[in-house]
Amino acid sequence: MNDPASFPVNDFGPLMKGLVIGGLGIFHVFLAQFAIGGGMLMAYFQWLAMHGREPKARLVLDSYFRWLVLVSFVTGAITGVAMWFTSIQISPATIGVMVSEFHWVWATEWLFFWVEVLAGYAFYRYGKRLDDRTRLALLVTYSIAGWGSLFWINGILSWQLTPGEWVATHDLWAGFFNATFWPSLVYRTIACGVIAGLVMAVIVNTMGELEREDRRRLVHHSARFMLPVVVMPLVGAWFLGAFPEDSRAWVTGASVAMTLFLNLTIGASALIGGYVVLGLWKQRLFINGATATLLLALAFGATAGGEFVREGARKPYTIREVLYSNSIRSDDVARLRVEGCTSGDPYPLRDAAQYPSEQLVKGALTFRNQCAICHTMSGVNALEHLMGAWTLDQQRMNVAKLQWTKGFMPPFAGTPEELEALVQLVRWESAGRPAAWETSEDPAVLAQIRRWLEEAGTGPASAGGGR
Amino acid sequence: MSLSFPFDLVWPTSGYVVLYLVTLLMHALFMSYVLGGALAVAFVRLHGVRENGPVTRTFIDWLPFALSAAITAGVAPLLFVQILYQREFYTANLLSFHRWMSILPVLIGAFYLLYLLKARPHARRLSAAVASAVALSILFVAWSWIENHMLSLNPSVWAKQYESGALAYRDPAVFLRLAFWVALALPTAFWLLVLQLRFGASGAKPEEALFATRRLAPVALGFLLVAAALAPFVLRGTWSLSSVDEALLDGADRPYLVLAAVGVVLTLGGWLRAQHLPRLSGLCVALGSLGLALTWWGVLCARELIRLARLDLDTLTRRHAELATSSGLFVFLVFAVLALAVTAWIFRRVSCALRQPVG
Ligand code: HEM
């Protein structure tokens, strides 16, 4: 296992790193779900065409597939690689553990990805020249492969939140088929279908060769495909029920932002579901391009909210019970309290000359290794804003008892000297970076910090020590 | 002379290296098609040659797929490189930061430009500009991978590189290496194209295909020789190894350089025959293709031996042994067989269906 400080840490300026990976993740998940659902929907349309149930099915199918390739194959595949690269940039330790534990699962997922791309391109290139049975065979292969890659990746992502028995046994399959595996898989599968159906409603409105009645019929077929959306509330409840207790508490009130996002997701999904079931399916309403695009945008919003909640609910971990958000292993906290989190860091500060004292340099290194994953100094979620108004002792105590200050934060994993250096850095930044800054090394202060650290212990807030 | 690498490494390192090399070879073939094809199309378009013959046409038609395949095939070695050399690979990625991440938007841009080129192949000015932009983008991506690789092999410069905040790793060897990969990519791309032309994948008439083979042959042969001339500098000598590394390597890479050279000779043979045959014979296809495969295998093995000489093999093998305790290999192997079968089935089913009139 690599030591957390053994990787260089990049500065994302005023942006929170979580926002970067979250933003990209949402985009990628949306496109990937479109690719998977799109394949299934096309297989359904091919079946409709073959059984004479929809005269325009073949025409729409070829047009839809072009979009699927142009948008999803291209941007979806590259954002997939981008997810990997960004994960390395944000937290090499986290992606490192994931790859180390699940490399065969990932390699298996790649096989599915390979088949998906091959079947998809074969259809894209030759589809119009193929007989119906071959077309259907390719579309079904594409869909199974696409859904298969979701199956594999879903196991790894849900393991991050609910690794369950794996923590004790390191049994890969216990980790893979974890408590949130099935609800998450069902939830995402339904989402794939809904996104694909809504894209269909947009695309039929761009096709000049279709009459209004054709469009209404085609959208009605898609609405039928989207019907599983009615069970979304149940699946959502099942998913939430499988969350660890503290994570569930975040999203149901303890964290305003996460609760808000969860409610937005529920609201947006309910609106989409209601419109699909009552309007498009039951009443066979016509839907124009603008409304269809709006619904699709709403689906994007629901995906964004859902992903935000899923990512946020893991806090203070990136891999529950194993690795904290700041890449420090839960087992290492006690050791780092003695050895320090900066002593093993081989990478010097780029801007060391800006700091008027060695203590502030140490503070900056401590910030980089422990806080910078979620905070900036003066940008988004800035320490200056969060801690600036506290008294000096309050700053020291709240950092020493970090996990009790806010339960989504990990315990502080450094020496009292590093903690004091960090506090001094925040004060220096809040004071407008003066040219001179006195070093604070009062043994009584350090002893007090040590006592606070000991009181807080080395476990997370969910361990319950603060109560 | 032993050619047993990577099988002679201890298990499981050997297993991971085999999978890495096999999947990297797949990536290299598609990557060569993209790199060579993009450069060729840009060259033709920039020189105002009104070539809309089979070479440009086929490249333009197939480049989007080839790029997709290069990326898809690249994901597998991307996984295995993280297993094999996690610390080195991640550190190099982190040190290049925005510069490294910028290959992603560049690739997306290149992709859409390729589709634009395919949609508007006859707009001369536009296609010259688009083809050049694509070629530059692909060169940029190749350069980035090379830089990343070189940086990952030089832990001694990491701290300085980080401190300087420089986003590019300045080492003259990077450019020499780029020249080498380009020189190898071009004949590879051309050979793959000749196979396409001669087996009808592009719809070219037999006489057109033969004519194109004759025109491509001298260029391909020239670049093969350039690659062979550059190889000793790139894969040996001070450009890639210090004297310490060279002592550690102890000539282990030599058989692979010889293998690559044999591959080059066979490929030359394939080209020489291809330009005289109205129909490609099995022997000719085998000569050229086997030659290329041997060349690439030799080059990739030599490249890997250098990396292993530079890094601490004991630490690596211990880490790999730890990783191998993770289960899932069996599942992977089962699905690998299935995926191969499905791949073959797709090819068969589509080619059979294309031969039959649609009923
Ligand atoms: C068309 C665009 C691309 C080109 C031209 C290209 C070119 C190259 C080159 C020249 C190398 C060899 C570097 C060296 O040893 O000096 C390489 C290696 C590699 N490429 Fe690509 N590449 C492309 C896209 C990709 C993508 C998108 C991926 C990932 C999905 C990828 C994965 C890899 C991997 C894993 C290696 C081996 C890295 C190592 O061992 O350190 N490539 N590529």
Side-chain angles (χ1 to χ4, degrees):
Chain A
M1 177 55 48
N2 296 303
D3 205 20
S6 62
F7 288 114
V9 179
N10 283 317
D11 181 3
F12 283 62
L15 272 186
M16 235 174 87
K17 292 182 182 180
L19 284 184
V20 177
I21 186 96
L24 182 73
I26 289 161
F27 194 54
H28 172 67
V29 165
F30 191 75
L31 289 174
Q33 291 185 343
F34 165 44
I36 296 164
M40 295 175 184
L41 182 63
M42 291 305 90
Y44 174 53
F45 268 60
Q46 177 62 31
W47 180 84
L48 289 175
M50 286 165 71
H51 290 80
R53 292 177 183 225
E54 174 47 63
K56 301 288 180 181
R58 201 170 274 110
L59 178 73
V60 175
L61 207 164
D62 290 330
S63 177
Y64 190 100
F65 211 82
R66 210 175 49 240
W67 280 100
L68 196 74
V69 168
L70 282 179
V71 176
S72 167
F73 268 38
V74 175
T75 316
I78 297 182
T79 51
V81 179
M83 284 302 288
W84 221 321
F85 283 7
T86 313
S87 306
I88 294 170
Q89 291 294 335
I90 305 285
S91 178
T94 306
I95 188 75
V97 175
M98 290 165 79
V99 165
S100 303
E101 286 299 325
F102 287 99
H103 52 278
W104 293 121
V105 171
W106 240 314
T108 309
E109 194 247 349
W110 175 75
L111 296 169
F112 279 72
F113 178 45
W114 172 261
V115 171
E116 181 186 348
V117 169
L118 204 65
Y121 256 105
F123 187 87
Y124 174 65
R125 212 179 156 85
Y126 301 113
K128 285 191 179 140
R129 293 164 56 194
L130 298 175
D131 61 278
D132 273 339
R133 285 173 63 86
T134 308
R135 282 166 64 94
L136 185 63
L138 282 180
L139 288 169
V140 170
T141 308
Y142 171 87
S143 306
I144 293 175
W147 186 81
S149 40
L150 170 68
F151 176 90
W152 295 112
I153 201 71
N154 175 63
I156 303 176
L157 295 183
S158 54
W159 161 84
Q160 282 185 274
L161 175 64
T162 44
E165 258 179 58
W166 171 89
V167 177
T169 62
H170 276 253
D171 172 358
L172 180 119
W173 298 114
F176 185 83
F177 292 109
N178 57 76
T180 48
F181 176 86
W182 291 111
S184 157
L185 185 64
V186 176
Y187 185 90
R188 284 177 189 280
T189 305
I190 297 174
C192 291
V194 173
I195 294 171
L198 294 176
V199 172
M200 172 64 95
V202 176
I203 288 177
V204 293
N205 277 289
T206 64
M207 296 176 66
E209 57 271 52
L210 295 176
E211 301 292 329
R212 186 185 162 105
E213 181 49 28
D214 295 331
R215 291 182 187 152
R216 198 190 50 72
R217 240 186 16 257
L218 288 162
V219 169
H220 184 251
H221 289 305
S222 312
R224 190 174 297 145
F225 182 80
M226 291 189 271
L227 277 183
V229 74
V230 294
V231 295
M232 202 77 146
L234 287 178
V235 180
W238 176 24
F239 199 171
L240 212 57
F243 269 34
E245 205 183 313
D246 52 329
S247 300
R248 195 165 46 245
W250 297 142
V251 302
T252 51
S255 155
V256 180
M258 273 194 257
T259 309
L260 199 70
F261 272 100
L262 180 66
N263 283 315
L264 283 176
T265 303
I266 293 172
S269 306
L271 284 176
I272 297 168
Y275 197 95
V276 165
V277 176
L278 301 176
L280 301 183
W281 180 66
K282 212 155 169 38
Q283 298 183 22
R284 294 175 173 250
L285 288 183
F286 171 75
I287 179 173
N288 65 20
T291 314
T293 309
L294 202 66
L295 282 179
L296 194 60
L298 212 54
F300 185 80
T303 309
E307 290 303 306
F308 182 89
V309 169
R310 191 185 58 79
E311 282 283 320
R314 281 204 303 260
K315 283 186 176 162
Y317 295 104
T318 54
I319 300 168
R320 196 175 166 84
E321 290 178 51
V322 175
L323 200 64
Y324 286 118
S325 314
N326 53 9
S327 304
I328 290 173
R329 284 189 153 251
S330 44
D331 297 346
D332 283 342
V333 177
R335 177 175 65 80
L336 293 170
R337 289 247 174 114
V338 180
E339 291 175 9
C341 66
T342 57
S343 51
D345 188 342
Y347 295 98
L349 286 181
R350 283 179 182 146
D351 52 358
Q354 291 179 18
Y355 300 99
S357 72
E358 272 306 307
Q359 185 175 44
L360 293 183
V361 169
K362 185 180 269 202
L365 285 171
T366 307
F367 170 76
R368 186 170 84 179
N369 286 320
Q370 298 222 21
C371 327
I373 186 78
C374 298
H375 295 281
T376 62
M377 195 45 90
S378 49
V380 178
N381 207 21
L383 289 194
E384 216 184 290
H385 305 148
L386 293 166
M387 298 170 61
W390 294 346
T391 64
L392 179 56
D393 266 349
Q394 204 178 2
Q395 288 174 330
R396 288 171 177 146
M397 187 182 77
N398 286 355
V399 175
K401 299 184 174 183
L402 201 62
Q403 71 271 47
W404 296 354
T405 301
K406 219 30 174 147
F408 0 99
M409 293 197 275
F412 184 82
T415 59
E417 289 76 8
E418 285 170 337
L419 194 151
E420 180 60 12
L422 176 66
V423 166
Q424 292 302 323
L425 177 76
V426 174
R427 297 184 73 77
W428 176 71
E429 293 274 359
S430 305
R433 303 179 140 230
W437 194 258
E438 203 179 321
T439 298
S440 151
E441 47 197 354
D442 180 353
V445 168
L446 296 176
Q448 177 59 55
I449 292 175
R450 191 177 303 281
R451 272 195 299 280
W452 280 325
L453 283 168
E454 277 162 12
E455 272 171 41
T458 54
S462 56
R467 279 173 218 144
Chain B
M1 186 172 109
S2 163
L3 285 169
S4 50
F5 177 82
F7 301 96
D8 54 356
L9 292 170
V10 293
W11 178 263
T13 301
S14 54
Y16 290 130
V17 175
V18 168
L19 284 169
Y20 166 75
L21 286 175
V22 169
T23 51
L24 187 63
L25 180 63
M26 281 167 67
H27 170 61
L29 294 180
F30 288 115
M31 176 275 278
S32 296
Y33 191 94
V34 175
L35 189 55
L39 287 171
V41 174
F43 179 82
V44 168
R45 288 292 193 249
L46 277 179
H47 282 73
V49 186
R50 299 198 67 164
E51 215 277 10
N52 208 26
V55 171
T56 329
R57 214 172 49 220
T58 310
F59 269 140
I60 289 179
D61 189 23
W62 281 91
L63 273 171
F65 167 73
L67 182 53
S68 193
I71 293 169
T72 309
V75 171
L78 179 62
L79 170 67
F80 292 115
V81 82
Q82 292 177 71
I83 298 167
L84 284 163
Y85 315 109
Q86 193 168 95
R87 177 167 160 260
E88 293 73 19
F89 185 75
Y90 286 1
T91 305
N93 279 207
L94 286 157
L95 290 173
S96 305
F97 195 22
H98 296 304
R99 245 280 285 108
W100 175 245
M101 297 299 287
S102 65
I103 68 174
L104 300 161
V106 167
L107 276 175
I108 294 185
F111 235 130
Y112 285 116
L113 288 176
L114 281 175
Y115 278 110
L116 182 65
L117 197 62
K118 191 169 166 168
R120 309 273 304 273
H122 303 296
R124 276 202 33 215
R125 283 243 180 92
L126 177 78
S127 69
V130 170
S132 317
V134 170
L136 285 175
S137 307
I138 303 295
L139 273 176
F140 172 79
V141 176
W143 172 50
S144 306
W145 277 100
I146 293 168
E147 215 182 65
N148 188 75
H149 181 71
M150 305 287 284
L151 195 50
S152 76
L153 289 187
N154 277 318
S156 59
V157 304
W158 291 350
K160 274 234 140 5
Q161 179 80 11
Y162 178 80
E163 192 177 12
S164 73
L167 295 181
Y169 175 49
R170 290 181 208 292
D171 179 343
V174 169
F175 290 98
L176 199 69
R177 208 173 164 99
L178 180 61
F180 173 70
W181 290 123
V182 169
L184 197 54
L186 278 160
T188 307
F190 289 174
W191 183 255
L192 295 172
L193 181 83
V194 162
L195 295 184
Q196 281 185 297
L197 293 175
R198 305 291 289 259
F199 290 110
S202 63
K205 296 189 196 83
E207 59 280 9
E208 264 187 326
L210 180 62
F211 181 68
T213 311
R214 288 194 179 137
R215 288 196 63 182
L216 289 175
V219 188
L221 297 184
F223 276 107
L224 259 184
L225 295 178
V226 172
L230 285 173
F233 297 104
V234 174
L235 297 172
R236 303 230 87 216
T238 47
W239 288 102
S240 88
L241 289 170
S242 69
S243 50
V244 180
D245 302 323
E246 197 135 7
L248 281 170
L249 193 56
D250 194 22
D253 61 334
R254 244 173 240 139
Y256 297 92
L257 295 179
V258 172
L259 185 73
V262 171
V264 169
V265 173
L266 292 183
T267 314
L268 290 175
W271 275 104
L272 292 176
R273 277 190 71 80
Q275 55 175 338
H276 296 300
L277 294 174
R279 282 186 166 277
L280 280 195
S281 64
L283 177 69
C284 177
V285 172
L287 260 184
S289 308
L290 181 72
L292 268 184
L294 291 184
T295 305
W296 274 101
W297 186 254
V299 166
L300 293 182
C301 286
R303 174 182 180 272
E304 219 43 45
L305 278 160
I306 292 171
R307 170 152 46 191
L308 288 169
R310 293 211 130 190
L311 305 177
D312 179 2
L313 192 58
D314 279 346
T315 314
L316 285 180
T317 50
R318 244 180 289 123
R319 205 184 107 74
H320 301 152
E322 240 174 69
L323 293 183
T325 55
S326 152
S327 39
L329 173 61
F330 179 70
V331 170
F332 168 72
L333 291 175
V334 168
F335 279 106
V337 172
L338 261 174
L340 274 177
V342 174
T343 302
W345 171 80
I346 290 175
F347 273 106
R348 230 183 97 78
R349 177 112 198 200
V350 171
S351 52
C352 286
L354 286 176
R355 268 186 251 125
Q356 284 164 7
V358 179

